Amino acid sequence: MQAKNYHIMSIRILFLFLFFIFPEWKILELDSLIAPILSKKLVSEITPQKYFIDQESAWVDSMFNSMSTDQKIGQLFIVAAYSNQGEGEYQKVDDLIEKYNIGGLIFMQGTPSDQANLTNRYQDLAKVPLLITFDGEWGLGMRLSNVISYPKAITLGAIQDNSLLYKMGGDIAEQFKRLGIHLNFAPDADVNSNSQNPVIGFRSFGENKKNVALKAIAYMKGLQHNGVIANAKHFPGHGDAATDSHFSLPKINHSLERLIDIDLYPFQEMIKDSLMSVITGHLLVPSIDTRNIATSLSGNVVAGILKNKMGFRGLIITDALNMKGATDNASSAGDIELQAFMAGNDLMLMPESAIAGINKIKAAVNNKKTLLEDIDFRVKKILKAKYWAGLNTKKVVIKENINEDLNQQKYLGLKQILYENAITVANNAQKLIPLANIENTKELVSIAIGAEIGNTFQKTLLKFAPFQLYINESRSDEIWYNKILNSLDSNKIVVVSLHRLSTNPSRRYNISPTTISFLSKLQKRTKVILVVLGSPYGLRYFPEIENIVCGYEEDPLAQEAAAQVIFGALPAKGKLPVSVDDKYKVGDGIDIASANILGFSLPEAVDINSIALTRIDNIVNNAIAQKIFPGCNLLIARNGKIAYTKGYGNLKYESSQKVTPYTVYDLASITKVGSTLQAVMKLYDQNLLDLNQKASFYLPELDSTNKQNITITNLLYHQAGLHGYLPFWENTKKKRNLDTTYYRFEKSAEFPFTVATGIYGNQTLKDSLWQWVIDSPLISRRSRFGEFPFLYSDLGLMILQKVVERITNLPLDKYCETTFFKPLGLERTGFNIFEKISLDQVAPTENDLSFRGIQIKGTVQDQQAAMLGGVAGHAGLFGSLIDLAKLFQMNLNQGSYGNFTFFDSKTIELFTQSGSVKSHRTLGWDKQSENFDSNYISGDASASSYGHSGYTGTMVWVDPKYNLIFIFLTNRVYPNTNNNRVNSLKIRRKIHDVVYQSIIK
């Protein structure tokens, strides 16, 4: 009781002192105002951490002792600086620094380079180093051009992992320090309890006080642990404002109890932790101060509550004093600044007239010398803040590479992760999300309203499935809407995305009545998924939509994340940070697990250093310049996400047609693991194939031949005694010409299958080739135990093809298409690719002068595979990067992809890890070998990794240890096969090495 009486007496004395200075201030029933405040324990027995206020240093004393009273008063002011204005404006700031010793600057608009120049200029002029501040709630991009903007607070409010906000704070601090900034006016600690709030809204973490507090603390710590002063704003809470304090003084009618319970809660929690500065807001709060005065100018608020009751010991800074919410109280220049000072603020931010404010405070000091002690205390506090920020030593902002430094890929990687964690599935009544689990017989339609052609959202959708695309930028074209409605039916699934939405509730977030009506009608006609790339409050206009996703923002990374969540490439984790009428409550959000399919990512988001990857450019471009290959394609996937795809060069040396990530290549021997081996594993998995069984068990024609005892295992290990390659195609030529017994130049019933463009094979040719394989000799080399050594052989895969076809009663291509390629959604992969896609999209291979006499494009380069109509166990498969990534991701996923399970995990383990004692191979796969200096496998590849290469220059490698897939596609055999420098110069290995070196460990 004695302690409480002491506090009451202290506050009474404080207010009497303020009344003496400002006799015009009148407060009725002072005790009735103070008592309820004291009855609440805002912060229990505060024991603040060591703030900069506790730091003592010779530097602080030296700076303080060197200043006159006038110079000390100047330290209380932070003025605005713009780096996009002329020399005349810059000189005005020069004068304030040189003549009035102002304490700091807040940089507003401009570019990083220009701001760096001005920072150095202004710091050179300052007798006492300037505290450089910045209003960067979502980073430097909030004010400057050509720099990263992080997600807005309302987006961050949806994230469930607050450690991500801590990391964001750290990245922003790193960027700020690079630009010479010491204090960030962030985070916003307002609890947005008013959906019509015109100024806070998207700047708040939401309406749940605990969520706001936790996220504000995480962001705060990220900044402060990395050397930048954080700031909580706008005290005592701007979340229920109905007007914008930039233009008027908002009135908050809440009771003191409600303010303490809700609005002050985040500030309390931040102060209990380690908060270093606060902004006092321009608000009218009658429950705290009955006068018509902004809280930023109220001693009741600043001194009474924030300092005395809540025990805050850090910097107290006004909101911008040129805002109407403050200036409407001014009778003459400098009055507002004086009132703010007398209320207890340490720093006056963006005064309308710094000079007038300095003079008014100086006059007050001359009248009341006791104010000098207060000024001295605050100036020392400011100096200690500068000492904490490192201003005791001079630091020049280096302009060189500043844009590159501020826009590092690692920052974008975290930004991507933030959006991925925020996307919220608010409703999924029809269970349409994820689309990866929906039967692929449904036709997919995308309607982007308010978007531009080529928008990121639709481009991302197309990475997963074919869509019929519509775009409407007008939002109110009723004729267009009706035309689209009439073209859709119940067989469609329609994804509607709303783009370029406003943050302003008074403008209905730029959602037109025509759009609302269209979606209502569309919902009744077919199945709809609505994606709102804007404020979650915009969901209120679509209560009928049964499947709805909140993407929060228009940023391309948000669009990409929303599209990936819809397909299931990303899980849905976000929760609504606010309530939306009676339809959705704060915290709503449907958790949806990933559909186990490949997604897309920036390299840094999966711990790959994109700068390190740029070394690949030199390797590849040099190879193209040396004509090692005309072009190539490269893909890196990690942690289930495609993090890097790039096409280099052209399809041909003499062509200008560029390689793209969608270019299709002849995969050559990747066919062995991409089709035949997959089929063998499937049949083993189904107990239809015994690896220890003889091939002759499945192929009786091998009985009584030199191949009757060859086992399936020995075929897979390439130790069956078969020759590596026998040129059977030479049997079908007469001198230099094709034998017309086997080939014709017109398709017919007798010559039905394509050997090459315009060349057709006799229906008996496949049987002839198979007989030549059966009759082929074995190698003579054997061990003393009579066993054959390892010898890589195409013939073994031709035999395995026959085994697969005999068991399944299907041709290999048909079996793989129905069992693997179609379920995986491989649109650009298969045998005889010319039947599936345009040849313009296919890279040419050999100009085959020895056999077919033509340039090969779209049909298989391998002669034996061509004799089999383009479908062979060892060659014939064509594919593109993303398709192959899906196939091999399925293997990396231990046999599953999407909602399909292709193999038991034990099957994958058996085939990829059961090695031969005679070689480095496993069952069908190539492996890394300690005793073999590979020309295409990196020495850093793990022992658990596996893959294959192809004769045309292709390669795929899967590494479970690093959850990594590497795919390299090229056509090094164009225009002829004599060029083998891709192997002799180890081009693929060099690139593979860079991939491993780029992994952030």
Side-chain angles (χ1 to χ4, degrees):
M1 182 61 71
Q2 289 178 346
K4 181 175 179 180
N5 290 337
Y6 174 80
H7 289 310
I8 292 174
M9 182 61 67
S10 299
I11 293 176
R12 282 199 181 109
I13 292 170
L14 172 67
F15 278 103
L16 288 172
F17 172 75
L18 293 173
F19 296 157
F20 181 78
I21 300 299
F22 298 103
E24 71 275 15
W25 288 9
K26 296 178 181 178
I27 301 179
L28 300 177
E29 301 177 344
L30 179 60
D31 285 347
S32 64
L33 172 69
I34 298 173
I37 299 175
L38 293 176
S39 67
K40 293 285 184 179
K41 220 173 188 182
L42 295 183
V43 179
S44 58
E45 302 306 322
I46 297 172
T47 54
Q49 296 182 16
K50 291 289 183 184
Y51 300 119
F52 51 75
I53 195 171
D54 297 318
Q55 299 189 30
E56 298 293 342
S57 75
W59 180 85
V60 170
D61 293 338
S62 173
M63 287 293 105
F64 179 80
N65 293 331
S66 70
M67 285 187 279
S68 67
T69 299
D70 288 359
Q71 290 173 327
K72 291 176 184 176
I73 294 172
Q75 284 292 295
L76 306 178
F77 287 81
I78 296 176
V79 301
Y82 296 78
S83 63
N84 61 349
Q85 297 184 356
E87 181 60 27
E89 293 300 317
Y90 304 153
Q91 288 181 9
K92 290 179 182 178
V93 178
D94 290 348
D95 289 342
L96 289 171
I97 296 170
E98 291 185 297
K99 295 179 181 178
Y100 295 95
N101 200 41
I102 58 170
L105 301 173
I106 175 171
F107 273 98
M108 302 297 285
Q109 302 159 355
T111 67
S113 180
D114 290 338
Q115 181 169 320
N117 285 337
L118 282 180
T119 297
N120 291 333
R121 167 176 170 166
Y122 294 148
Q123 291 286 25
D124 282 342
L125 293 174
K127 298 180 184 68
V128 178
L130 297 161
L131 186 71
I132 305 299
T133 71
F134 194 90
D135 189 14
E137 294 168 24
W138 47 91
L140 292 172
M142 183 169 172
R143 302 293 176 186
L144 302 182
S145 58
N146 305 319
V147 282
I148 292 172
S149 287
Y150 287 88
K152 309 298 188 297
I154 200 164
T155 307
L156 301 172
I159 295 173
Q160 301 305 293
D161 181 359
N162 293 329
S163 70
L164 295 175
L165 278 76
Y166 175 83
K167 293 177 182 176
M168 184 191 80
D171 279 2
I172 290 174
E174 193 173 288
Q175 295 161 31
F176 274 39
K177 290 176 74 175
R178 175 65 180 86
L179 197 50
I181 301 170
H182 313 112
L183 185 151
N184 187 12
F185 290 115
D188 191 311
D190 298 314
V191 179
N192 196 72
S193 54
N194 184 347
S195 65
Q196 297 301 307
N197 195 321
V199 64
I200 298 303
F202 66 96
R203 297 168 60 193
S204 165
F205 294 118
E207 71 177 68
N208 182 290
K209 66 177 184 180
K210 292 184 178 180
N211 189 43
V212 171
L214 290 171
K215 286 178 167 55
I217 289 171
Y219 186 0
M220 170 192 75
K221 284 184 172 180
L223 290 170
Q224 294 181 173
H225 289 181
N226 291 279
V228 171
I229 299 169
N231 178 274
K233 61 186 185 186
H234 307 80
F235 189 87
H238 212 305
D240 196 23
T243 57
D244 186 343
S245 56
H246 290 85
F247 309 108
S248 63
L249 184 60
K251 187 175 183 180
I252 308 294
N253 284 315
H254 294 307
S255 68
L256 191 59
E257 287 73 20
R258 197 273 189 190
L259 288 169
I260 292 171
D261 182 42
I262 304 295
D263 297 275
L264 293 181
Y265 180 82
F267 295 96
Q268 295 175 58
E269 297 302 302
M270 296 174 77
I271 292 170
K272 281 195 292 186
D273 194 289
S274 56
L275 180 64
M276 298 175 76
S277 74
V278 167
I279 268 187
T280 53
H282 305 318
L283 303 163
L284 183 62
V285 186
S287 62
I288 300 178
D289 198 326
T290 58
R291 297 164 297 161
N292 186 33
I293 187 172
T295 47
S296 55
L297 311 178
S298 168
N300 288 4
V301 174
V302 181
I305 295 179
L306 182 56
K307 285 186 176 181
N308 295 340
K309 185 55 188 171
M310 297 180 72
F312 182 60
R313 303 171 66 202
L315 288 177
I316 302 176
I317 309 169
T318 67
D319 204 348
L321 291 174
N322 59 4
M323 294 165 61
K324 284 290 186 180
T327 59
D328 282 351
N329 288 282
S331 58
S332 63
D335 282 352
I336 296 301
E337 290 73 25
L338 177 58
Q339 290 182 55
F341 169 74
M342 298 303 297
N345 293 285
D346 300 311
L347 285 160
M348 291 4 104
L349 178 65
M350 296 177 70
E352 277 204 309
S353 173
I355 297 173
I358 290 170
N359 288 333
K360 280 288 176 74
I361 295 175
K362 180 180 177 181
V365 171
N366 290 335
N367 289 332
K368 296 293 178 185
K369 299 296 183 182
T370 54
L371 286 178
L372 275 175
E373 293 182 8
D374 202 11
I375 289 175
D376 287 350
F377 177 80
R378 298 189 207 185
V379 170
K380 283 192 174 181
K381 188 195 295 189
I382 293 166
L383 289 173
K384 289 173 183 177
K386 292 181 178 184
Y387 177 79
W388 183 93
L391 282 167
N392 56 308
T393 57
K394 184 173 182 178
K395 296 180 178 66
V396 175
V397 181
I398 306 300
K399 185 178 175 181
E400 185 180 2
N401 297 324
I402 195 161
N403 285 330
E404 293 82 357
D405 291 346
L406 296 177
N407 290 285
Q408 295 179 55
Q409 288 295 310
K410 68 176 184 177
Y411 300 142
L412 286 174
L414 176 60
K415 177 180 174 179
Q416 175 183 296
I417 291 170
L418 290 166
Y419 280 122
E420 289 176 352
N421 279 266
I423 303 300
T424 304
V425 176
N427 198 349
N428 194 28
Q430 295 176 309
K431 307 297 182 185
L432 294 184
I433 304 170
L435 282 176
N437 292 341
I438 304 298
E439 56 178 315
N440 54 18
T441 57
K442 289 283 187 183
E443 296 180 44
L444 299 175
V445 177
S446 168
I447 303 174
I449 298 173
E452 73 283 357
I453 295 173
N455 61 83
T456 301
F457 182 76
Q458 289 185 321
K459 285 169 68 175
T460 306
L461 290 179
L462 289 173
K463 291 180 179 180
F464 294 99
F467 270 80
Q468 185 177 0
L469 303 182
Y470 296 98
I471 298 173
N472 186 345
E473 294 189 63
S474 75
R475 306 178 194 275
S476 57
D477 188 343
E478 195 165 350
I479 295 175
W480 184 88
Y481 280 131
N482 288 334
K483 182 179 178 181
I484 298 299
L485 275 172
N486 293 332
S487 70
L488 302 175
D489 57 40
S490 60
N491 291 321
K492 308 285 198 302
I493 293 178
V494 183
V495 179
V496 180
S497 51
L498 302 184
H499 297 256
R500 296 177 181 171
L501 299 178
S502 167
T503 58
N504 193 332
S506 66
R507 296 179 182 175
R508 300 165 59 95
Y509 307 103
N510 212 17
I511 299 171
S512 70
T514 311
T515 300
I516 297 169
S517 174
F518 166 72
L519 279 159
S520 178
K521 294 173 184 176
L522 185 64
Q523 175 71 57
K524 295 169 184 174
R525 185 179 290 263
T526 188
K527 291 182 170 61
V528 177
I529 297 174
L530 175 63
V531 182
V532 179
L533 295 166
S535 172
Y537 289 120
L539 272 58
R540 63 164 44 103
Y541 299 110
F542 309 104
E544 300 173 355
I545 303 300
E546 295 182 299
N547 311 285
I548 192 164
V549 175
C550 189
Y552 297 99
E553 296 184 42
E554 179 74 9
D555 190 285
L557 290 177
Q559 295 184 50
E560 190 173 79
Q564 294 198 70
V565 165
I566 287 171
F567 264 95
L570 290 173
K573 298 180 180 179
K575 305 294 181 185
L576 290 176
V578 294
S579 298
V580 184
D581 299 335
D582 294 329
K583 179 68 174 178
Y584 301 107
K585 300 300 180 186
V586 61
D588 282 356
I590 300 168
D591 288 331
I592 298 177
S594 167
N596 195 32
I597 67 172
L598 268 174
F600 297 85
S601 169
L602 295 169
E604 272 72 13
V606 290
D607 292 330
I608 291 177
N609 186 327
S610 58
I611 301 299
L613 288 178
T614 59
R615 285 180 285 162
I616 293 173
D617 293 348
N618 291 332
I619 298 170
V620 172
N621 290 331
N622 287 336
I624 292 172
Q626 296 177 56
K627 293 194 172 182
I628 294 172
F629 43 72
C632 68
N633 248 336
L634 176 67
L635 179 146
I636 303 167
R638 189 166 191 225
N639 299 339
K641 295 181 180 180
I642 296 172
Y644 186 88
T645 56
K646 191 167 184 178
Y648 296 86
N650 302 319
L651 299 188
K652 300 188 291 185
Y653 292 112
E654 66 276 14
S655 168
S656 61
Q657 186 177 357
K658 298 292 183 183
V659 172
T660 75
Y662 298 99
T663 300
V664 172
Y665 283 88
D666 182 339
L667 302 178
S669 285
I670 290 178
T671 303
K672 295 179 173 73
V673 296
S675 62
T676 312
L677 181 58
Q678 302 294 316
V680 167
M681 289 194 295
K682 183 67 174 178
L683 296 178
Y684 168 82
D685 199 71
Q686 294 174 321
N687 294 318
L688 297 175
L689 178 65
D690 184 349
L691 300 183
N692 297 316
Q693 187 58 267
K694 296 175 182 178
S696 58
F697 175 81
Y698 304 101
L699 305 171
E701 60 267 39
L702 297 181
D703 284 338
S704 302
T705 72
N706 60 1
K707 300 173 182 64
Q708 65 179 345
N709 293 319
I710 294 175
T711 65
I712 301 298
T713 293
N714 281 333
L715 289 172
L716 290 168
Y717 279 146
H718 293 268
Q719 52 194 43
L722 301 170
H723 282 271
Y725 174 78
L726 293 172
F728 297 123
W729 57 274
E730 293 180 350
N731 298 344
T732 66
K733 293 194 67 178
K734 286 186 176 180
K735 296 184 179 179
R736 293 186 178 182
N737 299 317
L738 294 174
D739 189 338
T740 56
T741 304
Y742 297 105
Y743 309 104
R744 295 290 169 84
F745 299 103
E746 290 185 4
K747 191 174 186 178
S748 65
E750 188 178 357
F751 293 84
F753 61 87
T754 301
V755 174
T757 303
I759 302 175
Y760 304 93
N762 192 304
Q763 58 185 345
T764 64
L765 181 57
K766 295 179 183 179
D767 293 334
S768 298
L769 180 55
W770 176 231
Q771 191 60 51
W772 293 332
V773 171
I774 294 173
D775 296 339
S776 64
L778 301 179
I779 62 173
S780 58
R781 286 181 293 136
R782 292 176 185 252
S783 71
R784 60 194 179 101
F785 302 106
E787 295 176 336
F788 290 109
F790 164 77
L791 179 62
Y792 180 77
S793 172
D794 286 351
L795 274 64
L797 272 295
M798 295 169 75
I799 295 172
L800 285 171
Q801 174 190 0
K802 279 291 184 180
V803 171
V804 170
E805 293 179 339
R806 202 66 58 86
I807 294 173
T808 63
N809 200 30
L810 283 172
L812 178 66
D813 59 332
K814 302 300 181 187
Y815 179 73
C816 287
E817 180 70 26
T818 57
T819 307
F820 302 106
F821 303 160
K822 188 174 181 180
L824 286 168
L826 309 190
E827 299 289 331
R828 309 166 71 79
T829 294
F831 294 89
N832 289 322
I833 200 67
F834 63 89
E835 298 175 349
K836 200 170 186 179
I837 65 172
S838 168
L839 287 182
D840 290 342
Q841 304 169 45
V842 182
T845 53
E846 179 184 5
N847 185 8
D848 185 8
L849 301 178
S850 301
F851 176 34
R852 287 154 287 189
I854 64 170
Q855 170 66 61
I856 304 301
K857 183 175 182 177
T859 57
V860 64
Q861 179 271 334
D862 183 272
Q863 298 94 335
Q864 323 280 49
M867 293 168 64
L868 293 171
V871 182
H874 68 288
L877 191 65
F878 286 74
S880 63
L881 285 176
I882 294 176
D883 274 5
L884 290 175
K886 293 178 183 178
L887 175 64
F888 292 105
Q889 184 68 42
M890 178 268 287
N891 285 264
L892 186 54
N893 289 349
Q894 295 291 293
S896 66
Y897 192 87
N899 58 347
F900 290 94
T901 299
F902 296 90
F903 310 112
D904 186 276
S905 61
K906 293 181 180 178
T907 297
I908 295 290
E909 183 179 354
L910 172 67
F911 278 81
T912 60
Q913 302 306 321
S914 297
S916 167
V917 297
K918 300 177 184 178
S919 75
H920 61 283
R921 307 276 303 195
T922 66
L923 291 166
W925 297 99
D926 198 0
K927 292 280 287 186
Q928 175 64 283
S929 172
E930 295 181 3
N931 303 316
F932 177 65
D933 186 22
S934 172
N935 60 40
Y936 73 95
I937 306 169
S938 171
D940 293 323
S942 75
S944 63
S945 66
Y946 55 90
H948 218 278
S949 64
Y951 182 74
T952 52
T954 56
M955 170 184 178
V956 60
W957 204 257
V958 179
D959 197 330
K961 177 180 177 180
Y962 296 103
N963 206 3
L964 180 72
I965 295 173
F966 172 71
I967 301 174
F968 179 83
L969 304 180
T970 191
N971 54 337
R972 68 95 189 167
V973 294
Y974 177 85
N976 62 70
T977 60
N978 295 330
N979 176 12
N980 195 32
R981 287 181 296 163
V982 73
N983 286 327
S984 62
L985 296 178
K986 300 184 178 181
I987 301 299
R988 290 174 291 185
R989 174 167 181 166
K990 290 175 182 176
I991 297 171
H992 204 204
D993 283 339
V994 172
V995 173
Y996 278 97
Q997 291 160 11
S998 73
I999 295 174
I1000 301 171
K1001 300 180 175 66

